[in-house]
Amino acid sequence: MLIALGVFAVAYTAIASERFPRHWVALAGGALLVLFGVLSPWEALTYISWETLGLLAGMFILVSILQEAGFFTWLAMTAVRRVNYHPTYLFVALLAIAAVLAMFMDSITVMLFLSALTLQLCRLLKLDPVTVIIAEVCAANTGGSATLVGDPPNVILGTTLGFNFADFAVNTGPVSAVAALVLLGVFYWRNRRILRDAHAALTDETVREIEALHRDPLHAQLTHIGLIGFGAAVGLLVTHHWLSEITHLPITAAVSALAPATLALAVLPRYDQGRIVRKLIREDSESLLFFAGLFVLIGGLEKAQVFDVLARSLAAAASDNHSGLVLALHWGPGVLSGIVDNVPLALAMSYVLKDLAAHPEMPALALMVWSLALGVNFGGNLTPIGASANVVAYAYLERHHGPIGWKRWLVIAVPPTLLTMLLASALVTVKGQIGWY
């Protein structure tokens, strides 16, 4: 147990420092557990959730196809034109795009293209991009909590504990939607005067400059293939449990994403295939390797019974206070996810929940999962390192706009984040009372 905890603590510290590539740190930590005999090589492989990696890989391929087609930039610019470049409506549209897109793809991808577009738009409209991009990050993490494939913690909790796309959509989806609307209202209220002044300064020349941001045509063939594949993947993710029962075929979440992605990649022209594959190797493979190493690291703690001890302690403390335990699973990991990345935290807590569910007279596993998922996803908004999307957006701003500082992020993000967490905890409590979980 001491070896497993020591290796995990060192690896976690190195990941949090952001001084080293996190996928190499996670893989090195997993290798040390094997080297010290905590895990055998076979045990290390069995602790990796291949279903999670397959689901992520499939979605990465489909999103890469749409990204290469220019679909996301086209979508954002179409929304900008629809609101006639009005700064207030533009602000609302950008946050809505971040929240909705994050329901169906990794919030990292959403913020990669949205940060660049937002910075350009804000410079033309004389708006502060820091406020807008931090608001987009919060919206993306909040919207992503609605589905299985939205935020990475949901992917982990769903695939490791047996909850599917429909389960998340029905249970965390409505809470996420309400929270996103509240978040949008708060950010608009705090910035209404600045947006009004920006509208007064809007000129025809500014409109022409905004139009010039995106003159590249949409790649029709890639867009059609990507959208068909993406639609098929989402459809299968919603129905794969029923299809598996009807057909008696092993249609898992990983198959639901990988099958359409593989077919979409296969029908692409060879030149486009090469570009997509190179992007996957160059960028997305790092995320997959990070998750693989992380599963081994957390597996070492599970093998050493760390989570069993923690679960027994929680069960004893909450034996006659189920509501208190459910709220503790929301607020404890939620606040902690503002200090550490919510991905490894969600993975560690999935083992705790599994052990907790084995104890008699504990709350239903589903209720604990929804409370935890909403907590770590919303709580990830608290700081620049709370979630992967935060790190991406913060790094982009620092590189292309100038120093920001944690204090600025905290002032902008903490009040609305705490408000959405309060709202989510109240709604989860109601769900527990009426049995809707």
Side-chain angles (χ1 to χ4, degrees):
M1 184 181 289
L2 290 176
I3 293 173
L5 284 169
V7 171
F8 180 78
V10 171
Y12 213 116
T13 303
I15 292 169
S17 72
E18 300 178 25
R19 294 183 179 179
F20 313 97
R22 64 177 190 168
H23 60 292
W24 290 123
V25 174
L27 290 171
L32 285 175
L33 291 177
V34 174
L35 187 64
F36 290 142
V38 177
L39 296 172
S40 69
W42 176 250
E43 284 177 323
L45 289 175
T46 58
Y47 273 113
I48 296 174
S49 174
W50 298 104
E51 184 172 0
T52 301
L53 297 187
L55 173 58
L56 288 171
M59 298 307 289
F60 282 156
I61 292 170
L62 293 168
V63 168
S64 294
I65 293 172
L66 290 172
Q67 213 168 9
E68 284 293 322
F71 174 74
F72 300 124
T73 305
W74 170 84
L75 184 65
M77 287 303 299
T78 300
V80 169
R81 295 184 183 110
R82 286 292 178 89
V83 299
N84 202 26
Y85 313 102
H86 192 297
T88 298
Y89 301 150
L90 176 60
F91 182 79
V92 171
L94 289 172
L95 266 63
I97 289 170
V100 173
L101 287 182
M103 293 180 185
F104 303 102
M105 66 186 68
D106 189 356
S107 50
I108 300 172
T109 302
V110 174
M111 290 315 304
L112 275 172
F113 81 88
L114 209 52
S115 295
L117 177 64
T118 301
L119 183 58
Q120 290 176 312
L121 291 172
C122 286
R123 282 173 176 168
L124 293 173
L125 294 170
K126 306 298 188 291
L127 286 171
D128 178 16
V130 176
T131 299
V132 182
I133 290 177
I134 291 176
E136 289 171 352
V137 172
C138 293
N141 288 330
T142 303
S145 64
T147 66
L148 173 69
V149 298
D151 290 333
N154 287 15
V155 178
I156 290 170
L157 291 170
T159 52
T160 55
L161 296 174
F163 294 93
N164 59 33
F165 190 97
D167 294 330
F168 275 91
V170 169
N171 288 282
T172 62
V175 179
S176 172
V178 173
L181 289 173
V182 169
L183 196 73
L184 180 59
V186 172
F187 277 121
Y188 164 71
W189 181 256
R190 294 173 68 180
N191 295 282
R192 66 192 186 283
R193 292 180 182 175
I194 298 171
L195 294 169
R196 189 165 56 241
D197 293 342
H199 179 61
L202 186 65
T203 64
D204 291 338
E205 183 182 354
T206 304
V207 171
R208 286 193 294 271
E209 290 183 44
I210 293 174
E211 280 291 328
L213 288 179
H214 185 60
R215 289 178 175 170
D216 296 332
L218 193 64
H219 193 306
Q221 184 182 20
L222 282 183
T223 301
H224 293 154
I225 293 171
L227 287 177
I228 291 170
F230 199 84
V234 172
L236 284 172
L237 284 167
V238 173
T239 62
H240 74 274
H241 278 280
W242 305 327
L243 290 175
S244 186
E245 291 177 4
I246 294 170
T247 63
H248 302 290
L249 295 173
I251 305 174
T252 63
V255 172
S256 300
L258 278 173
T262 304
L263 288 172
L265 195 59
V267 300
L268 288 177
R270 184 167 296 180
Y271 173 73
D272 293 317
Q273 282 180 346
R275 285 194 300 168
I276 300 297
V277 170
R278 283 193 295 272
K279 180 184 179 299
L280 289 169
I281 294 172
R282 185 176 64 251
E283 300 174 13
D284 298 327
S285 62
E286 294 183 2
S287 296
L288 296 176
L289 290 172
F290 169 66
F291 277 107
L294 193 58
F295 278 120
V296 177
L297 275 173
I298 302 298
L301 297 180
E302 169 66 9
K303 173 76 180 297
Q305 297 184 324
V306 171
F307 301 124
D308 184 49
V309 172
L310 180 57
R312 284 202 302 269
S313 301
L314 285 171
S319 57
D320 57 351
N321 188 2
H322 289 183
S323 296
L325 176 59
V326 171
L327 290 177
L329 289 170
H330 179 80
W331 283 96
V335 173
L336 190 58
S337 67
I339 304 169
V340 297
D341 192 295
N342 59 11
V343 171
L345 185 62
L347 181 56
M349 289 303 299
S350 69
Y351 283 96
V352 175
L353 292 189
K354 191 181 294 184
D355 291 334
L356 267 177
H359 288 263
E361 299 183 2
M362 283 293 100
L365 175 61
L367 186 60
M368 293 191 289
V369 168
W370 311 141
S371 180
L372 174 66
L374 291 165
V376 296
N377 289 325
F378 291 5
N381 288 329
L382 288 169
T383 71
I385 61 169
S388 300
N390 306 25
V391 176
V392 168
Y394 188 82
Y396 187 87
L397 278 170
E398 291 262 326
R399 190 163 57 250
H400 297 282
H401 178 68
I404 302 167
W406 273 47
K407 182 180 178 180
R408 184 89 188 277
W409 185 291
L410 296 175
V411 169
I412 294 171
V414 168
T417 298
L418 293 179
L419 182 60
T420 55
M421 290 183 69
L422 276 169
L423 175 66
S425 60
L427 293 176
V428 167
T429 301
V430 171
K431 286 171 70 66
Q433 294 295 326
I434 65 177
W436 181 21
Y437 50 81

